[in-house]
Amino acid sequence: RHPPVAAPVQICGGMNVRSVHKLEPATEFPARLSVGGRVTALPKETFTALGIVAACASTDSTRYVLNGVLFTPEDGGVLVATDGRRLAAAPVRFTGRSFILPGTAAHVLTHPDFATRDATIRQPDDDDRTSPYAEFRSGPHTLIAKEIEGSWTTAGLTRSMNAQFDVFSRQAEKILEFKLDFIDQAFRNIEFED
């Protein structure tokens, strides 16, 4: 038997914690979104790569477009995330349209309920920009995430990656130069006996 709608519900938990909640009618709960469009298969390895790449996504609220992971079909599929200083990319099998998945949704998708089996993604068609949602399904589990709107082009990422590589190369050269100088100085101070 279900309690009447207006009746409060008492929830008891460990350590004798009690709270009383008023029940709301089911009509107050928002309707589930329906995402129409093309369905694409995602192997479970995609979610492993997603967990690794998402660690580089920004959490800075002023750089909203960087707060997620770019899914792009270029080169057979690539996941990319950056916070402006670090950049991570991983190849995956993805043939849908490009979009940016929010970091919070990426975190949910790395849960074993999604990450331990192959899944599907449903996206609206390219010409339907009125529904900026992506639907991920894995077994009985479904996640519908609103895509981050913004311009995060592959050309911009390539420039960012090249700039970061240049900085890394210069730092590596300086470290190598320092180590060679150190070794050279160390050998100059060594005296060999006959």
Side-chain angles (χ1 to χ4, degrees), residues 2 20 22-23 26-27 38 48 54 58 68 88 90 104 116 127 155 157-158 163 167 175 179 189:
H2 297 287
V20 178
K22 179 182 169 214
L23 291 178
T27 56
R38 181 176 163 198
T48 303
S58 178
T104 51
T116 56
D127 55 342
L157 289 175
T158 303
V167 169
I175 291 169
K179 287 183 176 182
N189 295 330

Side-chain angles (χ1 to χ4, degrees), residues 131-147:
S131 177
Y133 294 93
E135 177 185 88
F136 294 85
R137 285 184 182 251
S138 180
H141 306 287
T142 301
L143 172 74
I144 299 175
K146 184 173 183 183
E147 301 169 1

Side-chain angles (χ1 to χ4, degrees), residues 31-168:
R32 180 177 169 202
L33 290 171
S34 175
V35 178
R38 181 176 163 198
V39 176
T40 305
L42 290 176
K44 64 183 175 186
E45 293 80 17
T46 302
F47 301 110
T48 303
L50 179 62
I52 294 167
V53 169
C56 284
S58 178
T59 56
D60 182 356
S61 61
T62 63
R63 304 178 85 185
Y64 184 65
V65 77
L66 299 182
N67 289 343
V69 177
L70 173 67
F71 277 68
T72 180
E74 293 183 18
D75 299 324
V78 181
L79 300 179
V80 184
T82 184
D83 62 3
R85 292 178 298 282
R86 302 172 300 154
L87 184 133
V92 294
R93 283 188 281 160
F94 174 68
T95 59
R97 66 171 171 75
S98 293
F99 72 100
I100 303 170
L101 180 71
T104 51
H107 178 72
V108 170
L109 290 173
T110 61
H111 188 275
D113 288 340
F114 283 96
T116 56
R117 64 183 84 153
D118 292 342
T120 61
I121 178 173
R122 181 185 300 267
Q123 297 176 278
D125 297 322
D126 289 334
D127 55 342
D128 183 13
R129 299 308 288 172
T130 60
S131 177
Y133 294 93
E135 177 185 88
F136 294 85
R137 285 184 182 251
S138 180
H141 306 287
T142 301
L143 172 74
I144 299 175
K146 184 173 183 183
E147 301 169 1
I148 294 177
E149 296 179 32
S151 175
W152 206 35
T153 63
T154 305
L157 289 175
T158 303
R159 282 193 302 275
S160 176
M161 285 173 41
N162 288 340
Q164 289 179 9
F165 180 75
D166 289 344
V167 169
F168 173 77

